[in-house]
Amino acid sequence: MEYIILILAGILFATAVYNLLQKQLLRIIIGTVLLSHGAHLVILTMGKLKRGQPPILDDSVTNYTDPLPQALILTSIVISFGITSLLLVLAYRTAQENKTDNMEEMRGESNE
């Protein structure tokens, strides 16, 4: 099961890099979103899902679950959502100012 998740993360990384190398701003933003989702899957896979009791100290429980991978992923999801919203606002403003979302057309002329 872990191999399937890692293969899916690899596919997400590959499509993210492909989208990051495109010329349209929206595709670049989609690439950053896919890259962060791939990172979430890798963190979840490396943390290994362990079944057991909640991490509450008790003498009768010997098998605890580790809440750290889930906490890291939750924090990463919140950060990636904030970055995505910032990039969308910047892309919208840039497209309004320059009347295009093509990165090649935004470079300007060599004499500018």
Side-chain angles (χ1 to χ4, degrees):
M1 183 66 180
E2 293 175 1
Y3 297 112
I4 295 171
I5 295 174
L6 287 176
I7 290 172
L8 179 62
I11 291 170
L12 283 174
F13 283 136
T15 54
V17 169
Y18 176 76
N19 279 325
L20 284 172
L21 296 174
Q22 297 299 312
K23 294 179 182 176
Q24 291 84 17
L25 282 174
L26 190 59
R27 286 189 182 217
I28 295 170
I29 294 170
I30 289 172
T32 59
V33 170
L34 291 176
L35 191 68
S36 67
H37 286 314
H40 299 156
L41 282 176
V42 169
I43 292 170
L44 182 65
T45 305
M46 293 301 119
K48 294 184 182 173
L49 180 63
K50 297 177 184 171
R51 299 190 186 270
Q53 297 294 323
I56 299 172
L57 295 177
D58 190 12
D59 292 335
S60 63
V61 180
T62 59
N63 189 15
Y64 293 108
T65 57
D66 186 16
L68 186 62
Q70 289 86 4
L72 287 174
I73 292 170
L74 182 62
T75 305
S76 178
I77 288 170
V78 170
I79 291 170
S80 67
F81 178 72
I83 289 173
T84 302
S85 61
L86 175 71
L87 288 176
L88 285 172
V89 168
L90 288 175
Y92 178 72
R93 181 78 174 134
T94 302
Q96 272 189 336
E97 287 290 321
N98 296 321
K99 308 285 190 281
T100 183
D101 69 338
N102 192 333
M103 295 295 287
E104 290 292 325
E105 294 174 7
M106 282 191 257
R107 287 182 191 244
E109 300 296 324
S110 60
N111 59 2
E112 291 183 341

